[in-house]
């Protein structure tokens, strides 16, 4: 209990941005006289409703790094590994809910470019997944990636991150007793078990490949994989909730088990505070949000462009609450 109290205090009293920097009033919105009198900094008016950021929310950036060994410092400043999977895990104490936002790895956004010596060169529009590669593969890479995601989400406060090498998926999956899925697309050419419509209980390497695999020769394969990851995460969270109900220490054990393959700023006391929340907070398929947008073929690689209005509405829905 003491450790959990310390973890909670550190989570809510660490230096993060206070709230997203959204346009306070949309151009077509006009404040009423009462709204104008009571208006507070940071409020947003959209479609005749006024919203305030929920400051009790905790948001964590989860990164799946395209590496299969233990984490180690990269030899070059541009070899930190790409973030092939990017998710925001959102915990809302007010309604005791868990939400997840999936970010397409090809999302075009501002990416800071560094040379082999780690010196800043320029900022360009590029796929968000490559930002992690411009760093040491450790905390530096994570901070770069966190900054890119915060900027994409209008300076959204992020309270912690975990960058996990993809090879840890099997360990994480098996720690909760495996995950049940129904294969959404025919991948039998890659794995004879991955037949469209087949129900599987994923264990070990099958879990790794189910989450990791995509055929880069197929246009939109990153979108298809993200849909598969959405399905997997929904089932995984339910399996994890059941495992924690049986034994809350499973989260601590898992944290220690994947530590060699993970870089995180979420300390053990914070994990101790968060573990029971995982078991008690509500989560279902409707709790997962994908960025809406369009994938097009760029000069060399696929590029995903978010629908800014849909993204704005999603941020209001997940991170804000209506002002009565």
């Amino acid at each position: 209990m003491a450790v959990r109290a310390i973890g909670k205090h550190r989570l809510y009293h660490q230096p993060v941005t206070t709230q997203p920097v959204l346009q306070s009033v949309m151009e077509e919105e006009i404040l009423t006289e009462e709204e104008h009198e009571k208006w507070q900094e940071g409020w947003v008016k959209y479609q005749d409703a006024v919203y305030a950021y929920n400051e009790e929310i905790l948001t964590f950036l989860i990164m799946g790094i395209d590496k299969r060994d233990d984490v180690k410092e990269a030899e070059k400043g541009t070899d930190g590994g790409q973030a092939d999977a990017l998710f925001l895990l959102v915990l809302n104490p007010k309604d005791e809910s868990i939400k997840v936002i999936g970010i397409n790895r090809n999302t075009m956004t501002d990416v800071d470019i560094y040379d082999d010596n780690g010196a800043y060169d320029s900022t360009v529009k590029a796929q968000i997944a490559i930002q992690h590669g411009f760093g040491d593969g450790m905390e530096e890479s994570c901070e770069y990636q966190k900054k890119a995601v915060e900027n994409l989400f209008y300076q959204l406060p992020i309270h912690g991150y975990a960058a996990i090498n993809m090879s840890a998926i099997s360990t994480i999956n098996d720690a909760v007793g495996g995950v049940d899925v129904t294969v959404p697309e025919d991948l039998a050419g890659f794995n004879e078990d991955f037949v469209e419509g087949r129900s599987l209980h994923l264990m070990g390497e099958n879990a790794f490949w189910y989450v990791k695999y995509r055929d880069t020769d197929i246009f939109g394969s990153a979108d298809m994989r993200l849909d598969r990851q959405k399905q997997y995460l929904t089932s995984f969270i339910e399996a994890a909730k059941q495992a924690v109900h049986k034994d809350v220490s499973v989260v601590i054990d898992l944290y220690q088990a994947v530590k060699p393959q993970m870089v995180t700023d979420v300390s053990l006391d914070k994990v101790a505070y968060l573990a029971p929340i995982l078991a008690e907070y509500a989560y279902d398929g409707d709790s997962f949000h994908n960025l809406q947008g369009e994938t097009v073929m760029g000069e060399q690689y696929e590029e995903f462009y978010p629908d800014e209005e849909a993204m704005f509405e999603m941020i209001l829905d997940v991170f804000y609450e209506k002002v009565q």
Side-chain angles (χ1 to χ4, degrees):
M1 292 292 290
V3 172
R4 290 194 68 226
I6 294 171
K8 179 180 181 180
H9 177 81
R10 293 180 64 193
L11 276 168
Y12 280 104
H13 293 84
Q14 58 187 333
V16 294
T17 53
T18 55
Q19 62 183 50
V21 183
L22 298 180
Q23 188 177 354
S24 58
V25 184
M26 300 298 289
E27 290 183 2
E28 64 272 17
E29 301 284 356
I30 299 175
L31 294 181
T32 66
E33 184 176 344
E34 180 184 14
E35 288 168 348
H36 184 76
E37 291 176 355
K38 297 182 178 180
W39 195 260
Q40 295 184 21
E41 184 179 357
W43 282 8
V44 178
K45 185 172 183 180
Y46 182 65
Q47 294 183 350
D48 293 327
V50 177
Y51 298 85
Y53 177 70
N54 179 359
E55 295 184 356
E56 293 186 30
I57 273 181
L58 292 172
T59 303
F60 301 90
L61 175 61
I62 312 298
M63 300 165 267
I65 307 304
D66 189 17
K67 290 195 173 185
R68 294 209 61 181
D69 49 5
D70 290 351
V71 295
K72 58 183 179 182
E73 189 169 347
E75 294 183 5
K76 295 182 179 180
T78 56
D79 193 29
Q82 294 191 10
D84 258 2
L86 287 165
F87 301 96
L88 287 174
L89 175 67
V90 185
L91 307 179
N92 186 351
K94 288 193 173 180
D95 62 6
E96 296 189 341
S97 69
I98 300 172
K99 291 185 173 64
V100 176
I101 298 174
I103 305 171
N104 191 308
R105 54 114 41 229
N106 293 323
T107 301
M108 300 299 287
T109 190
D110 288 339
V111 171
D112 292 336
I113 305 299
Y114 298 83
D115 63 23
D116 286 348
N117 297 317
Y120 172 77
D121 179 82
S122 59
T123 299
V124 301
K125 288 287 184 184
Q127 290 83 352
I128 196 169
I130 71 171
Q131 182 66 87
H132 187 274
F134 290 98
D136 59 0
M138 305 293 286
E139 288 80 4
E140 183 180 63
S141 288
C142 291
E143 291 294 341
Y144 290 165
Q145 189 68 67
K146 177 184 170 185
K147 176 186 174 184
V149 174
E150 286 175 336
N151 289 344
L152 176 66
F153 283 81
Y154 307 99
Q155 304 303 318
L156 174 74
I158 294 179
H159 299 84
Y161 61 75
I164 307 169
N165 285 0
M166 290 297 226
S167 52
I169 291 173
S170 298
T171 302
I172 297 170
N173 177 89
D174 294 0
V176 300
V179 172
D180 294 322
V181 297
T182 300
V183 183
E185 56 184 296
D186 190 12
L187 303 173
F190 167 72
N191 185 317
E192 61 182 14
D193 292 329
F194 296 170
V195 178
E196 183 178 358
R198 176 178 291 179
S199 296
L200 296 176
H201 183 72
L202 297 175
M203 293 292 293
E205 283 289 294
N206 269 359
F208 167 78
W209 287 114
Y210 191 82
V211 173
K212 163 71 175 170
Y213 176 75
R214 74 182 178 110
D215 186 346
T216 55
D217 291 331
I218 297 178
F219 180 77
S221 61
D223 304 39
M224 297 162 65
R225 182 176 64 181
L226 186 56
D227 287 338
R228 203 162 64 246
Q229 291 172 343
K230 170 185 176 179
Q231 180 210 46
Y232 175 86
L233 275 174
T234 299
S235 297
F236 172 82
I237 289 176
E238 183 56 39
K241 283 163 64 71
Q242 294 178 15
V244 173
H245 268 300
K246 294 177 182 177
D247 180 7
V248 71
S249 68
V250 69
V251 177
I252 306 298
D253 295 340
L254 181 57
Y255 179 94
Q256 300 285 24
V258 302
K259 196 171 182 180
Q261 297 162 297
M262 174 176 67
V263 179
T264 182
D265 64 350
V266 182
S267 56
L268 201 55
D269 57 335
K270 295 177 182 178
V271 173
Y273 167 69
L274 295 170
I277 289 177
L278 176 64
E280 300 301 330
Y281 280 20
Y283 179 88
D284 57 34
D286 294 333
S287 302
F288 194 106
H289 301 261
N290 274 338
L291 288 187
Q292 301 299 309
E294 181 183 13
T295 296
V296 300
M297 194 64 204
E299 293 183 6
Q300 196 169 5
Y301 302 107
E302 292 179 15
E303 301 174 352
F304 176 82
Y305 291 90
D307 181 321
E308 292 202 11
E309 183 174 1
M311 183 173 174
F312 182 88
E313 290 176 350
M314 180 190 67
I315 291 174
L316 287 181
D317 179 52
V318 174
F319 298 99
Y320 283 72
E321 49 194 359
K322 284 187 178 180
V323 175
Q324 300 301 324

